[in-house]
Amino acid sequence: MSDITRSTGTQLVKRGLAEMLKGGVVMDVVDPEQARIAEDAGAVAVMALERVPSDIRRDGGVARMSDPEMIEGIKAAVTIPVMAKARIGHFAEAQILQALGVDYVDESEVLTPADEAHHIDKWAFDVPFVCGATNLGEALRRISEGACLIRSKGEAGTGNIVEAVRHLRSIMGDIGRITKADSAELFDWAKRLQSPLSLVQEIAETGELPVPMFCAGGIATPADASLVMQLGAQSVFVGSGIFKSDDPAPRARAIVEATTNFTDPVILGKVSRGLGAAMPGLEIDTLETRLADRGW
Amino acid sequence: MKVGVLALQGAFTRHAAVLTDVGAAPIEVRTPEHLSGVDALVMPGGESTTMSMLLDIADLRQPLVERLAHGLPVFGTCAGMILLASSVTDGRSDQEPLAAIDIGVRRNGYGRQIDSFEADVDVGGEGLPDWDTPFHGVFIRAPVVERVGDGIEVLASVDDSPVLCRQGHVMVASFHPELTDDRRIHELFVEAV
């Protein structure tokens, strides 16, 4: 019985982990202590990074992959999957993250892009990748490059949900329109979306993205989580929204409960009570840098 | 027949779709009221720490323990297997197993995501139909069964570790039959109900 052939790094196992994270909350953490708080609160995974997006926004400068020592510390602190961010196009950072044994790599616009024209060829890796998208064309280009999970980008570090809603509505709206298109129109859709025809045809047939779609960027309250889940997100990423709030642990748990019970306003009302102040929010028009504009 | 799918977190929609395919009527279970209305239950893959916490928050643990004690047919995959096992290694210290099947499992025992794999597994056992082809198993940060108690039927193994086990009304798999098109394992469960 020792001759069973195991295939690793396949699309099925890469997309499969994203399936297991559905209906959950992935939380940004910057050290093992925060990682433990996130796991205690019911996070399905943690995203290890050096600074949460609101601090990256405030401090400026070049944001890069985290120190491997910090990532190792977080891996040792929790039993849930650990994700980490690489710069857009920075395949060397991704290679290091794969060697460190992280469970998902986020090729992320929150970090400073390393390549102005090319995203990472994600087919070349055994570790799965998640990528952000503001619209369906961007999502399909990332999938064609090998991404196994898409997150709508929103505008990270703002605590403002408006961009996440815009991106989700754009993606879900176009998916709905493609399912109503006839076969001749799909060629035009592929051209307009600048995306592979085969992926457009797949959406027309199934009515959904070929990979799971989560939501990120601006989620600060349980109600925000419910909103984006009702708009079609299958899980949420919360960055600054937890550890930049007054009282992170109860807020983290409340967002977890809200994500499970996103259609039940009575439970949402119950979990939203007495959480203290949410993170301070930012108006999109006042931003110097729009992170969502990074990536192509 | 109403087959519940525990819908706190994880791959529950995929299980529901497969159950519909094999002629069962899946119902998402999030509350004790939902649980009281089902004839059988599927516990999906996902994160067992998250699901275990949500079981407590939803006041589902006690009713579930009682239904299991009264013979509720249940099928757990991956995290579902971990929750149903009698002992868990490498879990969180506050992770209380439901102890519905007498096996000991090691969480993420096959390694991290980079070690997740697909493999053909031969399924067979007393009273099972003869399957002429193996079942294609998808193992994702899967638990390893390290101990099986008396009276456990091992229906499939990978490298001498059980991956599909049954004890009375409880069946558990360390892999994900809901992620492939092969319906045979769900059929096995639904037919036994």
Side-chain angles (χ1 to χ4, degrees), chain B residues 82-97:
Chain B
I82 295 169
L83 292 174
L84 289 164
S86 52
S87 64
V88 179
T89 317
D90 288 352
R92 285 166 52 87
S93 53
D94 58 350
Q95 211 173 340
E96 189 190 344

